[in-house]
Amino acid sequence: MSVGLVLEGGAMRGMYTAGVLDIFMDHDIPVDGIVGSSAGVLFGVNYPSRQRGRVIRYNKKYAKDPRYMGLRSFLTTGNIINKEFSFYTVPQKLDVFDQEAFEKSGTDFYATITNVETGQVEYRKLSNLFDEMEVLRATSAMPLVSKMVELDGKKYLDGGLADSIPVEKCKALGYDKIIVVLTRPLEYRKKPSNRLLYQLAYGKYPDFVETLCNRYQNYNDTVEKIIDMENNKEIFVIRPSRTVDIKRIERDENKLQEMYDLGVEDCNRSIEALKQYLGI
């Protein structure tokens, strides 16, 4: 039996995912492949590397560090999440990512990225994060507050724009069982965005503008599909049991901890049902 794991993004709402995955580690939940979007990728890679607690640790430690993220980074570099510090200094020097363990895990890991020129989603399989850090930047590069990331001569932004919850990609990969970790509660639905703002920012890329403007509907349709699949026992879903008032770029350590703790609590409540679903 093969198990696929789908990880929604959501910037610092991803602390919820970090809490869930740390409990997965405690219970040795088997996962053969992961498909993530945005923060789901950034934080999800720590599951194959088995680095329990790493996500909440470094995010709390550097949340208020101007080198990590925030207005200063945006004004000086064009990226609200600082490229050099967040994607290179932290994982390579300050809180080192275990690339060797990631490789040895044998877990297939796919990251979503949105092609700005076509407006379409693409999926990149990750093997060596230190060599592919620009893919991690691309999957999490939020529109309006991030520069486009160039990969193989093409421009990309946040993978969640074109595929926020890549459950269909995970299904297409053929896993027998699928676990989905969401970062929004059951009742959440997206609302339409400001088309004029996107046209002003990305008018050269009309297909991308359409993707941005249609994202809310695509997201809501996917959520409804997930609910149907969950009711039919086709997938197992873990989602926040309540709303936490947390910003996408959250610098309050207590808010980060609250979101993480909710993931831990919700997963602990669900873990026996998950094991039953997986037959372990």
Side-chain angles (χ1 to χ4, degrees):
M1 181 191 72
S2 60
V3 180
L5 175 62
V6 178
L7 303 176
E8 182 181 7
M12 287 306 170
R13 291 198 315 277
M15 290 301 110
Y16 181 85
T17 302
V20 170
L21 295 183
D22 280 355
I23 299 304
F24 279 14
M25 288 186 215
D26 293 344
H27 291 265
D28 292 320
I29 299 300
V31 173
D32 299 286
I34 300 174
V35 188
S37 286
S38 195
V41 176
L42 300 189
F43 303 152
V45 294
N46 294 275
Y47 191 66
S49 70
R50 288 298 190 269
Q51 289 176 276
R52 192 190 195 287
R54 179 174 178 266
V55 174
I56 187 65
R57 179 176 65 240
Y58 77 75
N59 275 284
K60 286 179 66 177
K61 183 173 183 178
Y62 299 113
K64 294 180 180 178
D65 191 320
R67 296 174 298 172
Y68 187 45
M69 61 183 180
L71 184 60
R72 173 178 163 180
S73 176
F74 178 65
L75 293 177
T76 56
T77 71
N79 293 304
I80 200 161
I81 305 295
N82 188 272
K83 171 184 174 179
E84 293 301 327
F85 187 78
S86 302
F87 291 92
Y88 290 93
T89 303
V90 170
Q92 292 185 4
K93 298 178 181 179
L94 301 180
D95 200 321
V96 178
F97 177 74
D98 193 339
Q99 171 60 36
E100 183 179 358
F102 180 86
E103 288 183 17
K104 286 182 177 179
S105 73
T107 305
D108 293 332
F109 203 115
Y110 296 86
T112 63
I113 52 177
T114 301
N115 186 313
V116 174
E117 293 168 352
T118 67
Q120 299 299 306
V121 65
E122 296 179 15
Y123 306 93
R124 293 287 185 105
K125 188 176 180 181
L126 301 175
S127 56
N128 188 310
L129 267 63
F130 293 135
D131 292 340
E132 300 163 314
M133 199 58 72
E134 291 302 287
V135 177
L136 272 72
R137 285 215 311 124
T139 190
S140 59
M142 294 180 285
L144 304 177
V145 292
S146 306
K147 288 183 176 180
M148 298 175 194
V149 178
E150 190 166 305
L151 301 171
D152 303 323
K154 299 177 181 178
K155 298 178 175 66
Y156 295 92
L157 282 172
D158 196 323
L161 301 172
D163 193 357
S164 298
I165 313 171
V167 65
E168 288 299 325
K169 174 63 176 178
C170 196
K171 280 181 61 180
L173 289 169
Y175 297 108
D176 300 308
K177 300 283 187 174
I178 295 176
I179 309 166
V180 179
V181 180
L182 304 178
T183 59
R184 294 284 198 182
L186 180 62
E187 66 275 10
Y188 177 80
R189 299 294 183 276
K190 285 192 181 298
K191 297 178 181 178
S193 301
N194 188 325
R195 175 179 285 270
L196 178 59
L197 181 61
Y198 288 141
Q199 285 178 328
L200 288 173
Y202 302 110
K204 289 173 57 178
Y205 309 100
D207 292 331
F208 181 60
V209 171
E210 288 304 309
T211 295
L212 291 169
C213 294
N214 293 331
R215 186 191 180 198
Y216 82 99
Q217 191 61 61
N218 292 332
Y219 180 90
N220 295 343
D221 289 346
T222 301
V223 168
E224 296 298 337
K225 187 179 298 182
I226 285 171
I227 292 172
D228 288 341
M229 294 170 69
E230 182 182 18
N231 290 338
N232 292 328
K233 311 298 183 185
E234 298 174 40
I235 61 175
F236 191 94
V237 182
I238 299 177
R239 58 171 66 82
S241 55
R242 60 181 174 85
T243 298
V244 174
D245 182 20
I246 187 170
K247 300 182 181 71
R248 293 182 65 81
I249 304 300
E250 183 61 71
R251 308 188 75 173
D252 184 335
E253 295 174 30
N254 293 327
K255 290 289 186 181
L256 298 176
Q257 188 69 53
E258 182 183 2
M259 196 75 194
Y260 173 86
D261 289 345
L262 182 62
V264 168
E265 294 163 12
D266 287 348
C267 191
N268 274 326
R269 280 195 294 267
S270 302
I271 199 70
E272 293 307 320
L274 173 59
K275 289 179 180 179
Q276 185 175 8
Y277 168 75
L278 296 176
I280 59 175

